[in-house]
Amino acid sequence: MNIAVLCSGNGTNLQVIIDKVKSGYIPARIAIVISDKAQPRALERAKKARLETLFLNPKNFKPREEFDRELVKKLREKNVDIVVMAGFIRLVTPYFIEAYKDKIINIHPSLLPAFKGAHGIRDALECGVKVTGATAHLVEEELDSGPIVMQKAVKVKENDTEETLAQRIHAAEYKIFPEAIKLLVEGRVKIEGRRVKIS
Ligand code: GRF
């Protein structure tokens, strides 16, 4: 089973995935790590782990779907079965979703469907919720939607800042994301309507 990891930033989730693949917990091979940014920390981590990397420059692909066509071409060249979006900050088009239907998984720093979008942690804090968390979900065209594979709740403390809350949410991500990826890789994620059943 070949997986590809898409990232735009720091790559701390990527690092956890690399480690979990290495230890055999996720029974797959990382065929390629792709970024839409030239030099994110994520690609450094991938190179250090001797993984193949690719930078796809969005400026070279207009309209947006052209980027996804190139992306899918690369994924197919590498015989990728499952695509992991680990901090990939980019809207995807139906072309990509259809090419990898129910095979794309994302991690989001809130308890979806609350606090979709780029500022899930800040928005939850400002809203004053007492509990937020992390969600691993399959990717659909609509932003931060798609059947939920796994969630973990995180309590908000009275004196939390965005940074302190983010630390605990990231820790929750590192627990559920590898587990959700493992389930997907093992073919144990069954979708019934909006619901995911784990077999
Ligand atoms: C994570 O918080 C994830 O939920 C969000 O982007 C962040 C990526 O962090 N989608 P990192 O690049 O894995 O460190």
Side-chain angles (χ1 to χ4, degrees), residues 9-13 87 107-109 170 173:
N10 214 352
T12 59
N13 278 282
I107 186 76
H108 183 79
H170 287 146
E173 292 180 346

Side-chain angles (χ1 to χ4, degrees), residues 144-180:
D144 298 330
S145 63
I148 291 169
V149 181
M150 206 164 269
Q151 290 186 305
K152 189 166 176 62
V154 173
K155 279 189 187 161
V156 181
K157 296 180 184 170
E158 251 169 48
N159 56 356
D160 259 334
T161 61
E162 196 178 331
E163 288 68 35
T164 58
L165 181 57
Q167 274 181 10
R168 299 201 306 289
I169 289 180
H170 287 146
E173 292 180 346
Y174 307 153
K175 285 209 176 105
I176 62 169
F177 204 25
E179 198 175 338

